[in-house]
């Protein structure tokens, strides 16, 4: 089955730690995205990538880093510089060309700072 | 500045009681408007894309419509399994492939 997988489902971080969230897709999509979801707020874009070895900052990139070494993978690192990292993190992917650009989402990773 | 406002924040319906969810938007050049369904603790599930005013799309008990300023998600004779948060997002021409999301409407259908 084609889809997007995220791991782990739950992640706990201590103060000062960097943690990496995994996102893998087998939809053959060129574009991948990371969003953050907080209660009472809409999804906010952290980073996106439209092609391997290239990525752009979204609206709230501070304290986060990404890499795109393979088309299928787009890991997100939450660094110790992110002051309020507790949130639900969602990865998505989409095609780049064509009329339909709907994004398909993974199941999410819930990150909690201890 | 792109803006998406969804109303109401929460809606409780009796099973079979039809209603509509609203998504008002302000965007400089609309490329597309998207509806998603999100169950608690899960990722959003894609429902519809609308591209131009007057367009309508249907899926089972759901029907989405679009005007130049807003979109409606009509739910006909809802069932308890329709309970979820419904998210609206817009894609602007100048931010190709990036979606701007509203805060959602939390729908509860009571048996």
């Amino acid at each position: 089955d084609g889809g997007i997988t995220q791991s782990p489902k739950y992640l706990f971080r201590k103060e000062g730690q960097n943690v990496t969230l995994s996102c893998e897709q087998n939809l053959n999509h060129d574009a991948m995205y990371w969003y953050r979801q907080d209660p009472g707020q809409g999804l906010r874009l952290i980073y996106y990538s439209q092609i391997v070895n290239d990525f752009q900052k979204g609206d709230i990139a501070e304290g986060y880093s990404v890499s795109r070494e393979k088309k299928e993978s787009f890991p997100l690192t939450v660094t110790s510089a992110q002051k309020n990292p507790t949130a639900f993190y969602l990865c998505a992917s989409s095609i780049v060309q064509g009329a339909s650009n709907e994004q398909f989402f993974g199941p999410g990773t819930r990150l909690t700072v201890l | 500045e792109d803006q998406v406002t969804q109303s109401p924040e929460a809606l409780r319906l009796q099973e079979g009681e039809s209603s509509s969810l609203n998504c008002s938007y302000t965007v400089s050049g609309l490329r597309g408007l998207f509806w998603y369904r999100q169950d608690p603790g899960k990722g959003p599930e894609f429902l519809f894309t609308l591209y131009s005013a007057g367009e309508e799309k249907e899926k089972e008990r759901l029907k989405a419509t679009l005007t130049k300023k807003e979109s409606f998600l009509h739910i006909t004779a809802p069932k308890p399994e329709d309970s979820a948060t419904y998210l609206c997002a817009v894609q602007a021409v100048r931010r190709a492939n990036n979606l701007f999301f509203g805060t959602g409407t939390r729908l509860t259908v009571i048996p």
Side-chain angles (χ1 to χ4, degrees), chain A residues 5 25 30-31 35 42 49-51 53 56 58 78 83 88 99:
Chain A
T5 57
Q25 56 99 359
D30 292 304
Y35 290 89
S49 167
Q50 296 189 324
I51 194 170
N53 292 323
Q56 287 78 41
V78 184
K83 297 307 178 187
F88 190 48

Side-chain angles (χ1 to χ4, degrees), chain A residues 13-83:
Chain A
R13 193 193 92 168
K14 294 181 180 179
E15 295 282 350
Q17 267 187 339
N18 291 353
V19 291
T20 297
L21 284 59
S22 170
C23 177
E24 304 277 334
Q25 56 99 359
N26 61 4
L27 299 168
N28 199 32
H29 285 168
D30 292 304
M32 296 186 74
Y33 312 80
W34 275 104
Y35 290 89
R36 169 181 172 140
Q37 187 173 36
D38 295 280
Q41 297 193 44
L43 276 68
R44 292 182 289 167
L45 182 65
I46 304 172
Y47 268 98
Y48 66 100
S49 167
Q50 296 189 324
I51 194 170
V52 173
N53 292 323
D54 188 43
F55 47 83
Q56 287 78 41
K57 292 181 179 180
D59 299 317
I60 55 165
E62 185 176 352
Y64 300 96
S65 65
V66 294
S67 63
R68 187 89 186 274
E69 297 177 0
K70 298 187 300 182
K71 185 176 183 178
E72 300 80 18
S73 179
F74 191 41
L76 173 74
T77 297
V78 184
T79 75
S80 57
Q82 170 49 238
K83 297 307 178 187

Side-chain angles (χ1 to χ4, degrees), chain A residues 33 37 50 99-100 102-103, chain B residues 31 36 38 43 49 51 97:
Chain A
Y33 312 80
Q37 187 173 36
Q50 296 189 324
S100 296
E102 50 264 19
Q103 295 179 12
Chain B
R31 186 172 184 182
Y36 289 85
Q38 186 176 26
T49 309
Y51 293 103
N97 289 305

